[in-house]
Amino acid sequence: MGEIVEVPVEELDEKWMSFALTQAQTAAQADEVPVGALVVLDNQVVGLGRNCPIECSDPTGHAEIQAIRNACQHQQNYRLPGATLYITLEPCTMCLGAIIHSRIERIVFAATEPRAGAVVSAAALNFSAFNHSLKWTKGVLEDESAQMLKAFFRARRKIKQTGASNE
C-alpha cells in the first residue's frame, strides 16, 4: 500500500519554488489568496498554476489543481510519473487527492497550512489506504511564502475593518 515519505531538500528546489512564488504573487495581484504552483518534469516546467477560485467561479481553482491540469494537457497524459509539484502552501485534501490520482512522484511545499494542510498539519491523511506512494519536502522558501500570505490577509482584514471594498 501507499506511504508518504519525507525527503531532504534537493539542489534545485529553491529555484523552482521561486517560480511558484511568482505565480503566488500573480494570484495576489488578482485579489486571490497568494498560492502558486508548478509541475517540473525532467528539469523543465510542464505546468503552471495559481489560485483562482474567485476569478474562475470554481471552488477547485486551487493552484495545485491548475498546475496539474496544465501539466497533464502539456504531457497529453492524466498521469505525471516522475514529476515534482512545487507549491507555496501545504496542499489541502482535495489537492492531495489530485496529486495522488495524477501519480506525481514528489511534492515540495513552502509554508504549512495548520488548519487545512493534508500532508503534515491538522488534516494529514493516512496514506496506507492509497495505492500510490508520495515523497514530500517542506519548508523551501517558507519565510517568503508565509510573509506573502500574512501581508495578503493583513490587507484583507484592514479592508474589512474600514468597510472599504475592492469590488
Side-chain angles (χ1 to χ4, degrees), residues 32 52-61:
E32 299 275 4
C52 65
I54 298 167
E55 178 184 337
C56 297
S57 298
D58 180 358
T60 69

Side-chain angles (χ1 to χ4, degrees), residues 4-17:
I4 184 166
V5 179
E6 184 175 10
V7 295
V9 173
E10 294 181 5
E11 185 179 329
L12 294 174
D13 286 348
E14 284 191 14
K15 170 190 170 183
W16 296 123
M17 187 61 74

Side-chain angles (χ1 to χ4, degrees), residues 22 40 48 151 155 162:
T22 301
V40 175
L48 292 172
T162 63

Side-chain angles (χ1 to χ4, degrees), residues 43-71:
N43 207 30
Q44 293 185 353
V45 175
V46 295
L48 292 172
R50 65 169 178 84
N51 264 9
C52 65
I54 298 167
E55 178 184 337
C56 297
S57 298
D58 180 358
T60 69
H62 291 198
E64 301 93 311
I65 301 294
Q66 300 303 314
I68 291 168
R69 285 178 179 159
N70 188 245

Side-chain angles (χ1 to χ4, degrees), residues 89-91 109 111-124 142 146 149:
L89 185 65
E90 180 182 4
F109 57 94
T112 56
E113 206 325 352
R115 288 176 284 186
V119 178
V120 297
S121 296
E142 180 176 13
L149 286 158

Side-chain angles (χ1 to χ4, degrees), residues 46-47 66-78 80:
V46 295
Q66 300 303 314
I68 291 168
R69 285 178 179 159
N70 188 245
C72 288
Q73 289 172 353
H74 181 269
Q75 294 300 111
Q76 294 294 292
N77 192 347
Y78 73 111
L80 298 167

